[in-house]
Amino acid sequence: MPKTYCIIESESHCGAHYECWQKITKRLDAEGWRKTNKVRSSGIILVKQCCMTTDELNEAMDSLVRLSKQKVQGRVFLGECLSRTKELVEVAKKKLTNLKIFQFTTPEEFFNQLDETFGETSITPTILQDGSAIVNISYGCNRKCTFCKVAYMDYKLQSVPMSEIIEIVELARQQGVKRVVLNAMNSTEYNDQGKRLPDLLRALLEIPDMLYQLNGIVMVELTDETIELLRNSRFIFLQMELQSFIPAVREKMGVGEMSKEKILSIFKRLQGKMIASNVMTGYCRENDVNFREQLEIIEQNNLHFLSVNFLVPTPGTKAASLRNPSAEKAKERLLTLTEVLLKLRLDLAKEMIGKEQTGIIYATYKCGETLVLCDKGVFISIEGNNFEVGARITVTPRSIKGLFIGEQQNFILSEQEQQEKEFGEEQAIKMMISISKMRMENEETCGGFNMMDMSLEKYCEGYITKGLRK
């Protein structure tokens, strides 16, 4: 077997297992393995793809079918959540018999299957391209949200020991890192032998000069103690799950009972931070009346930071068998919500452009760009990269880089530039609505919004069979 390896990676790769992949590739490189882009001549093919949504499942199966048709001879290793999707793995092994398929969830499992001992490795931080470090505080999730595939996988929550997290963050600080992404599918359930999330946050705040981003916050599980800790100025970016304000919809989603007043209270207490939070349309029990009520809540409370998506049920989840609104109705509501959010963002941009704003240096890039997270909780893009992450700065923005995570918007210009480019508010909204329409067309799968109650095994078998016939 040639000592070469290649990686098949999707754009939607979430990064939940950066550390796992880094350990594997570093060890392969150290052992004389050469990375290549040629799958047919590779001894190892690492499939590094997500499979949480139907589109991601399809993309992963497309990759495996292509490998089968190319008649690759190397061993195919399925990692991350893909390896835990038992139905897909079983169908792939049954239908793609010419592939040598293996699966792993840890570096130790991977190297054991290579007939090599992984051995003990020193703890090292994973540094991202923007100079930040990413540290997983837990893996998996114990919740049973009806739309989430993790609830139907063998992936119960496992918390990383607090001492190990602190050691990695401290090592990152010693290497000059100023910002750490604390990654998790569900951070609020963190539990290391009785040490909960507030204990971890307090310990992290004892490490000087470090800024933090916390992912995987489940709003219904937030305690007053945790919220007060997150109000600290060194927690600058919070990714938290909302999904819906509508009680009847939240019940069907399985995300937990929570009043709109409580949700709004949390947003208000954490005001000024970059908040990434999502609203899902097209879910069971969403009707015109409660959808309009949700729009009013968003408009009246200026929740410009929310992002939106629509339900495309993953086969095998409970959401796939619910009586969801039609595809046309879901699209209509998503576009309405998108337009409302765009107008809120444009109004906020008018308040900010051309006026002094104070903020903190969030990241610098080699291309000569710096992102400033201003006190209003939005990014300002400025030229130059000779700034220190974490430093306070006063700037007068000419444009806004992005008003929420996921869709970086950079079309809001000063009034003079709008006149010069003949590009005003109406054109900006039309452009973003057009982009949203294209995204919906790309993401809609053959299953549609009201997919029949089909097991994941049956769905995968049908999809792979169809792919082999093409």
Side-chain angles (χ1 to χ4, degrees), residues 60 71 110 128 185 208 240 292 312 329 372:
K71 299 180 179 180
F110 172 77
L128 304 180
M185 292 178 180
M240 57 180 70
R292 284 196 298 271
V312 180
K329 181 62 71 173
V372 180

Side-chain angles (χ1 to χ4, degrees), residues 19 22-23 26 118-125 164 167-168 171 175:
E19 293 162 302
Q22 186 185 58
K23 289 178 179 179
K26 278 190 173 183
F118 183 66
E120 293 295 325
T121 59
S122 58
I123 293 176
T124 56
E164 183 176 324
E167 182 179 355
I168 295 173
L171 287 171
Q175 294 181 27

Side-chain angles (χ1 to χ4, degrees), residues 164-207:
E164 183 176 324
I165 296 170
I166 299 303
E167 182 179 355
I168 295 173
V169 175
E170 180 59 41
L171 287 171
R173 186 184 72 85
Q174 293 173 13
Q175 294 181 27
V177 172
K178 295 286 187 178
R179 179 165 56 86
V180 171
V181 179
L182 303 169
N183 204 33
M185 292 178 180
N186 182 347
S187 58
T188 36
E189 279 190 336
Y190 180 85
N191 189 348
D192 172 28
Q193 298 180 357
K195 297 175 182 176
R196 307 304 297 264
L197 182 61
D199 301 309
L200 174 61
L201 299 183
R202 275 190 289 268
L204 289 167
L205 287 173
E206 292 180 6
I207 301 175

Side-chain angles (χ1 to χ4, degrees), residues 28-299:
L28 288 173
D29 293 339
E31 294 293 328
W33 290 77
R34 180 173 57 85
K35 187 177 180 181
T36 178
N37 294 323
K38 299 177 180 179
V39 294
R40 295 192 68 177
S41 60
S42 292
I44 296 173
I45 301 164
L46 297 167
V47 183
K48 186 180 179 183
Q49 293 183 305
C50 287
C51 60
M52 297 305 297
T53 67
T54 308
D55 290 329
E56 291 167 349
L57 276 169
N58 293 349
E59 188 176 0
M61 288 188 285
D62 286 339
S63 296
L64 293 174
V65 170
R66 281 196 298 270
L67 292 175
S68 177
K69 289 182 175 181
Q70 290 174 304
K71 299 180 179 180
V72 298
Q73 298 301 308
R75 286 186 273 181
V76 180
F77 286 88
L78 311 182
E80 299 188 13
C81 298
L82 189 58
S83 69
R84 298 179 185 270
T85 309
K86 294 180 179 179
E87 295 90 342
L88 186 152
V89 175
E90 290 172 1
V91 171
K93 287 181 177 180
K94 181 174 69 174
K95 304 287 291 185
L96 310 175
T97 54
N98 62 322
L99 291 183
K100 304 168 187 173
I101 296 177
F102 300 82
Q103 58 202 98
F104 68 92
T105 57
T106 65
E108 290 80 0
E109 288 180 359
F110 172 77
F111 283 103
N112 284 339
Q113 294 180 84
L114 275 187
D115 300 323
E116 297 182 26
T117 303
F118 183 66
E120 293 295 325
T121 59
S122 58
I123 293 176
T124 56
T126 301
I127 312 299
L128 304 180
Q129 290 184 348
D130 64 0
S132 65
I134 185 166
V135 179
N136 273 81
I137 66 171
S138 67
Y139 298 91
C141 180
N142 292 335
R143 295 185 63 81
K144 297 293 182 183
C145 301
T146 56
F147 55 85
C148 182
K149 189 168 153 292
V150 173
Y152 306 94
M153 296 167 62
D154 181 21
Y155 209 176
K156 293 183 179 179
L157 186 133
Q158 296 176 307
S159 298
V160 178
M162 196 167 88
S163 59
E164 183 176 324
I165 296 170
I166 299 303
E167 182 179 355
I168 295 173
V169 175
E170 180 59 41
L171 287 171
R173 186 184 72 85
Q174 293 173 13
Q175 294 181 27
V177 172
K178 295 286 187 178
R179 179 165 56 86
V180 171
V181 179
L182 303 169
N183 204 33
M185 292 178 180
N186 182 347
S187 58
T188 36
E189 279 190 336
Y190 180 85
N191 189 348
D192 172 28
Q193 298 180 357
K195 297 175 182 176
R196 307 304 297 264
L197 182 61
D199 301 309
L200 174 61
L201 299 183
R202 275 190 289 268
L204 289 167
L205 287 173
E206 292 180 6
I207 301 175
D209 306 322
M210 197 67 78
L211 303 176
Y212 297 105
Q213 170 179 334
L214 180 61
N215 293 343
I217 300 172
V218 178
M219 292 189 74
V220 75
E221 294 178 354
L222 274 176
T223 64
D224 285 340
E225 182 183 15
T226 302
I227 294 172
E228 280 305 306
L229 286 164
L230 292 176
R231 281 166 56 86
N232 189 291
S233 60
R234 289 167 59 196
F235 289 103
I236 59 174
F237 196 131
L238 305 175
Q239 186 269 320
M240 57 180 70
E241 299 299 331
L242 169 59
Q243 305 303 350
S244 179
F245 281 98
I246 305 167
V249 176
R250 289 182 63 86
E251 179 188 353
K252 279 296 183 182
M253 288 178 167
V255 295
E257 184 179 343
M258 199 174 196
S259 69
K260 65 181 181 182
E261 291 79 13
K262 178 65 174 178
I263 295 170
L264 292 171
S265 171
I266 291 173
F267 284 148
K268 186 174 182 180
R269 291 173 70 181
L270 297 174
Q271 193 172 5
K273 300 180 184 296
M274 169 55 79
I275 296 177
S277 195
N278 181 65
V279 172
M280 185 187 295
T281 65
Y283 213 91
C284 183
R285 291 190 178 171
E286 179 187 79
N287 56 42
D288 288 338
V289 173
N290 55 37
F291 177 72
R292 284 196 298 271
E293 181 185 357
Q294 182 160 258
L295 283 180
E296 290 175 2
I297 293 171
I298 293 170
E299 287 182 292

